[in-house]
Structure formats: C-alpha cells, structure tokens
Amino acid sequence: MSAPLARGATRFAPTPTGRLHVGNARTALLSWLWGRSLGLRNVLRVEDLDPAAIPAGCLEGQYADLAWLGLVWDEGPREGGPFGPYRQSARGDRYDAALAALDALGLLYPCYCSRREVAQATRAPHASDEGPVYPGTCRPTLGAVLGDLSAVPTRAGRPAALRLDVARALAYLGWSSVVFDDRVAGPQAFDVVETMGDFVVRRSDGVAAYQTACAWDDAEMACTHVLRGDDLLASAARQALLLALWGGPRPVYAHVGLVVTPSGERLAKRDNAVTIEVDRLAGRPPHALLARLAATCGLPASHDLDTLAAALTVGPALAQPAVWG
Ligand code: GLU
C-alpha cells in the first residue's frame, strides 16, 4: 500500500444504528477539534458494514445532530472527497483487495467454528474485548495461500470466516508484540497472541470485519490522527498489526475516556435521555451542550469551536471517564 499524497486527517466514524448520544458527540467534537487545531482534514466515515441493521433515517439524523453542533466535514458521504466512497457498505471491493494482500502472505485461514464452539473450546480465563480468545481449532500447521477468496469452500454447509494467523503475522514482521504510543492512554504493548488470538478479518457472511475495514480506510483516507473512545484501545493493536502487514502508515492514536453515568455505566444509544436529538428537536441552541461537553474535556466552557480548538490539548488528562448526569 502506498500512502496517498494528501494532507492528514482526523475522522469520526459512527455506526448509524441509533441516534448520537453525548458520548458520541464528545468523541466527534474532540476528533473534529483536534483536526481543526492541527490544520487537518475532518473526515466523516460511515461504518455501515451491515446496511440491513441501519434504521431508516438514522444516518440523516446523525448528520443533523452533528450539523446542529456546528461540526461540518471536509469529506464525507454527502460532501464527497478524493477518497470516497465514505460509506463502508460501498467499499467492499477495497476490502477484498486488502484481504487478498494478507492472503498473499499466507496469513489467512478459513474458520468454520460457531461462536458457541469457540466459547466452549476456549480455556478460561482468556477473554478479549471481542469475546473468547480463539483456541486455534481451524488453524493449519503450515501457512498457505488460499487463492481465490470468493471461492473459499463451505464445510458441512457452513460458510467460512477468515482469521488472521497472528503468531505467523508477528513472525513475518519480526515483532514479539504490538507496541504503540497512545497520545492519551500512554505507551501500549499488546501480547496479541495471548490476549486476542487469531481474530476474524472476514466474517462468515463474506463481509469484511470491522478491524479490516477500519484499518484499511484509515490508511486509504489518509487519516493520520485517530481519536475515539478507549473501548477501542485493544482494537488499535489489531489495526496497527494489519496496517504493518499492508505496509500502510499507522495513525497517531488517542483513546479517550468514555462518558459514563454517575453510577459508572456506559451510555447506550438507545438511552433517549442523553441523545443529541432531544435538544435539537426541542429547538434549543447547541451552546449549553457544547459548553458542557467542553468542560468535560478540560476546555473553557465556550461554544465557539475555534476557541475550543485553540485551547485543546490531546493528552493523558483525557483518559479519565467523563461523568454525565
Ligand atoms: N464505528 C465505530 C463505532 O461507532 C467506531 C470505530 C472507530 O472510530 O474506529 O463505535
């Protein structure tokens, strides 16, 4: 993969399965301000790998929420741009090429295990953020190139998912772990073999896995700075591994603390009380919400985006969860 010649970018990459809540808005705001403060492009990428799971009008609602906050995008599904399409559902051919590149290295294998079988075969206590660590049931002893990935055979009627042979991938790179410096979370070292195992890069329905699509798009869209919730910190290790295998550039990562309720629970999109839409549809100006969000980021309680961008420091202080209640 050759790095596209472009000014760098930050991106906000929502999955439009529900309305934006204040946690999403805080991440969108921080990412946007970071881009603005560094003179980068602000990209909106829609992560709709499962178009059937997207409720009608959801993307439009998210766009309206973001616009209400004053967040306008240099590139995105509506705005267009040189690295489109900006909806993952329209980028399948690119992910096929990305997967073929991994296969050419002999690093992929078909896996026929159901979730249940993986859970049963996993020796406790290993569990990752993506569920139980895969015990390697379908992993071949020798790596092999599968060839035509559109023709991976089924087994007993079951379609195959494709997994990355993580130990082989590390050996190929000459790495013993995945190491990176996170602007907010600090230095990271992930023993991906032990703590994550061979993760799925293409799902059994033939669609690219989130890790594949996200990492590929970050590189192809020249997203040099990735700011998102710290629930995705371990994903960054998988994505950094994939990017290294593709020879693509690794973004600067910044994983910020999530917004939580006073009792410490994560916000959910279905929780109407904290959606942006409630304020927007009530006809309220965004000022109060922006100032309140800014205050949770250690910024002046201003609703002026340029003032906020000028005051922003993306650093360890943003690792703390932001209590909203
Ligand atoms: N689409 C993911 C989400 O909505 C975010 C992915 C990312 O920022 O890398 O949680």
Side-chain angles (χ1 to χ4, degrees):
M1 165 181 267
S2 57
L5 291 173
R7 199 154 47 100
T10 55
R11 89 295 194 280
F12 180 56
T15 302
T17 48
R19 293 297 189 246
L20 296 181
H21 58 58
V22 291
N24 307 127
R26 184 171 181 269
T27 313
L29 176 66
L30 278 169
S31 175
W32 192 95
L33 292 174
W34 201 22
R36 176 57 69 96
S37 70
L38 297 175
L40 304 174
R41 296 142 46 235
N42 277 313
V43 173
L44 180 70
R45 179 171 77 231
V46 176
E47 299 208 326
D48 59 346
L49 286 170
D50 287 305
I54 311 300
C58 189
L59 177 58
E60 291 70 19
Q62 291 198 351
Y63 247 113
D65 288 345
L66 293 165
W68 178 76
L69 287 167
L71 304 183
V72 292
W73 306 95
D74 299 309
E75 293 165 31
R78 285 191 185 163
E79 296 74 6
F83 304 114
Y86 291 88
R87 293 181 71 140
Q88 290 190 329
S89 56
R91 297 177 63 80
D93 51 341
R94 290 165 160 87
Y95 308 143
D96 289 347
L99 291 161
L102 298 176
D103 181 45
L105 301 173
L107 298 176
L108 302 187
Y109 63 89
C111 171
Y112 299 91
C113 301
S114 65
R115 269 172 205 271
R116 196 157 165 214
E117 285 162 345
V118 174
Q120 282 168 354
T122 304
R123 290 179 300 278
H126 294 312
S128 76
D129 55 319
E130 285 200 343
V133 173
Y134 184 63
T137 318
C138 295
R139 186 194 307 126
T141 322
L142 293 174
V145 175
L146 301 172
D148 182 359
L149 295 182
S150 66
V152 178
T154 56
R155 185 185 288 170
R158 281 192 196 179
L162 295 177
R163 289 185 186 269
L164 180 75
D165 184 330
V166 167
R168 197 175 294 278
L170 289 176
Y172 170 79
L173 294 168
W175 294 2
S176 55
S177 58
V178 177
V179 176
F180 60 93
D181 244 325
D182 190 280
R183 277 292 166 87
V184 173
Q188 305 293 315
F190 283 90
D191 180 345
V192 285
V193 174
E194 273 298 310
T195 63
M196 295 175 198
D198 295 350
F199 56 91
V200 170
V201 290
R202 192 179 80 182
R203 306 176 335 198
S204 60
D205 61 2
V207 176
Y210 156 68
Q211 308 293 356
T212 308
C214 179
W216 186 261
D217 288 348
D218 283 343
E220 218 174 49
M221 295 176 179
C223 297
T224 49
H225 292 67
V226 169
L227 185 150
R228 58 190 172 189
D230 63 10
D231 52 332
L232 292 170
L233 185 58
S235 284
R238 298 183 183 88
Q239 293 168 15
L241 177 59
L242 290 172
L243 286 165
L245 295 169
W246 288 319
R250 177 191 297 181
V252 176
Y253 290 115
H255 289 86
V256 302
L258 299 177
V259 176
V260 296
T261 65
S263 53
E265 287 149 26
R266 279 176 57 172
L267 302 182
K269 283 186 187 143
R270 61 182 174 280
D271 187 350
N272 279 336
V274 290
T275 56
I276 307 308
E277 192 185 39
V278 174
D279 276 15
R280 175 169 61 82
L281 294 185
R284 294 184 201 118
H287 303 177
L289 180 62
L290 274 172
R292 200 170 156 205
L293 284 171
T296 70
C297 305
L299 292 168
S302 167
H303 60 265
D304 178 66
L305 296 177
D306 287 324
T307 305
L308 295 176
L312 180 70
T313 303
V314 175
L318 290 174
Q320 294 308 318
V323 180
W324 199 269

